Amino acid sequence: MPIEIRQPAEEELRDAMHAAEQGFGAGITDEDWERERITLPAQRAVAAFDDGRAVALAGAYEFELTIPGGQVPCAGVTWVGVLPTHRRQGILRRLMAKQLVDVREWGEPIAALWASEAAIYGRFGYGLAVPSATLKADSGRYELRDDPGRQGTWRLVDAATAFDLVRPVHDHVRRARPGMPTRTEHWWRNHRLADSENWRRGASEKFYAVLELDGAVAGYAIYRVKSEWEGGFAKGVVRVLEAVGTSPAAEREVWRYLFGIDLTTTVDVYPFDPASPLFLTVRDPRALHMGLHDGLWLRLVDVDAALRARSYRSGQPVVVGVRDEFCPWNEGAYRLGAEPGRTDAAPELELDVADLAAVYLGAFDFAHLARADRVRELTPGALERASDLVHTPLPPFCPEVF
Ligand SMILES: CC(C)(COP(=O)(O)OP(=O)(O)OC[C@H]1O[C@@H](n2cnc3c(N)ncnc32)[C@H](O)[C@@H]1OP(=O)(O)O)[C@@H](O)C(=O)NCCC(=O)NCCS
């Protein structure tokens, strides 16, 4: 019986999600189902069926993602899993092919995902667009270089109050930062602020701490505490899920708070913003134990629409030739800069669609690609001009692992 690839019916979705979770060595609970049936309706999913039984799934949340100069509809690829009985038979490849056709039809120019393993998605045209960091910082060595003194006041609130207080702070920061997905009210309440027992991994419930500076909410932290003792001494870990401030002072105070929690010796942050000012504000940056990883992978599903949606710095436009074996509708030449989009002009640079995705949000530029031998310069000087055009004031950051 051949494997059938298609959208699951509503009544098939739960089984398909269960199959995907079994791919991860787990299963779906009633609580997961109640949350996900709203975030991921059947029409945003594609599943594989063997003799009518779901054996794999790939889903796509409906987001808008911030890009340089605005935001654009984005398929948040998620719930990708194949049963261990059916792995390495080409099912993922077929799911990816169908999903990208669907995303294009929905009019979403880009798709994005966090990969369980970084080697999987390049072959489907995904490029590493947002690096992400981890911190396992030694709290005992935390000290600011130039400390103006503690500012502001803190209070711990419940999830419902956090929803009212922290959402505007997040939205404020989001406007200026490429790489951040939108959060609906459902997402805030059932994902970010929700606190399932299954997510705790031996740590406390979630704490929602809100910072006020000059009478206004200016930052917040969402975290758990994992309590540990050794030889009579506390060695607890603060697990930071999100730390946000709207100004340099607010960011400084958010980290000061997290590093100052009693009975803890480590601040563990994931995902941490590699461009966070923390690295430059502490006296001992090595003690942050920062590690750099891949974060958000991006797929330009409709290259023309994606390139027209973002902004560029002023300068002479550059024509890039794009190869795209997996989505051949994208093959061709595109202009970057003024009046961006598809063109008949001759390419001055040539690269793969995954590498164009790596520069799209501003994490890398064409000079970075050239040093990695991932772009060909056909017209001398085009690399430098193109790098200038895509430069952004801030590199992207994605605080949401989905
Ligand atoms: C990863 C997973 C989805 C792959 O599914 P699959 O149906 O076995 O993949 P396919 O047979 O379609 O393989 C497609 C290609 O990806 C490659 N590939 C698959 N899994 C890979 C992995 N984990 N690492 C590197 N490459 C991988 C295959 O070698 C194949 O390469 P090719 O096109 O060059 O021949 C599946 O193994 C799985 O469910 N894993 C556990 C859950 C998980 O990690 N999900 C991904 C969440 S982001």
Side-chain angles (χ1 to χ4, degrees), residues 39-56:
T39 330
L40 183 66
Q43 62 270 23
R44 302 275 311 180
V46 52
F49 295 89
D50 185 356
D51 202 9
R53 193 173 55 93
V55 294

Side-chain angles (χ1 to χ4, degrees), residues 19-20 22-25 56 77 79-84 86-95 113-121 123-124:
Q22 285 182 306
F24 283 91
V77 173
W79 282 97
V80 177
V82 176
L83 278 185
H86 286 68
R87 66 192 283 283
R88 305 302 181 271
Q89 296 171 28
I91 291 180
L92 175 66
R93 176 169 283 278
R94 292 179 63 198
L95 291 175
L113 58 81
W114 288 78
S116 61
E117 294 183 88
I120 301 176
Y121 291 94
R123 60 175 54 75
F124 306 126

Side-chain angles (χ1 to χ4, degrees), residues 122-316:
R123 60 175 54 75
F124 306 126
Y126 283 84
L128 172 51
V130 186
S132 178
T134 51
L135 280 199
K136 291 227 183 302
D138 178 350
S139 315
R141 287 180 175 265
Y142 172 79
E143 191 189 348
L144 290 170
R145 265 184 83 242
D146 305 300
D147 192 349
R150 186 170 168 268
Q151 284 173 273
T153 54
W154 282 92
R155 66 186 153 130
L156 290 172
V157 299
D158 62 17
T161 313
F163 174 75
D164 294 332
L165 297 182
V166 311
R167 197 160 60 142
V169 175
H170 171 269
D171 290 348
H172 175 91
V173 170
R174 188 177 171 269
R175 275 196 289 278
R177 202 75 200 266
M180 292 177 68
T182 28
R183 291 177 181 165
T184 59
E185 179 168 349
H186 175 79
W187 190 278
W188 271 107
R189 292 193 190 280
N190 296 283
H191 291 253
R192 185 82 290 192
L193 299 173
D195 192 18
S196 167
E197 191 86 45
N198 296 336
W199 300 340
R200 293 187 188 163
R201 293 182 294 120
S204 71
E205 60 183 16
K206 273 183 187 169
F207 290 99
Y208 314 98
V210 176
L211 169 72
E212 279 189 26
L213 281 178
D214 303 321
V217 176
Y220 66 91
I222 305 174
Y223 64 96
R224 302 179 194 280
V225 175
K226 171 93 168 57
S227 165
E228 279 175 33
W229 294 82
E230 199 179 287
F233 292 94
K235 292 187 67 177
V237 179
V238 182
R239 280 195 198 148
V240 180
L241 305 168
E242 189 150 297
V244 179
T246 54
S247 65
E251 286 203 71
R252 186 178 63 237
E253 294 311 317
V254 168
W255 290 112
R256 188 200 301 275
Y257 172 82
L258 291 165
F259 277 95
I261 292 172
D262 279 341
L263 305 180
T264 65
T265 54
T266 305
V267 174
D268 184 332
V269 192
Y270 172 76
F272 179 70
D273 176 5
S276 164
L278 183 66
F279 206 68
L280 292 177
T281 52
V282 292
R283 202 178 282 288
D284 186 351
R286 196 185 306 166
L288 295 175
H289 297 283
M290 183 166 132
L292 192 60
H293 305 269
D294 61 304
L296 197 71
W297 292 78
L298 191 75
R299 211 312 166 184
L300 303 181
V301 181
D302 180 339
V303 171
D304 184 46
L307 293 179
R308 281 190 283 107
R310 69 154 281 179
S311 61
Y312 301 87
R313 293 216 301 188
S314 59
Q316 193 189 340

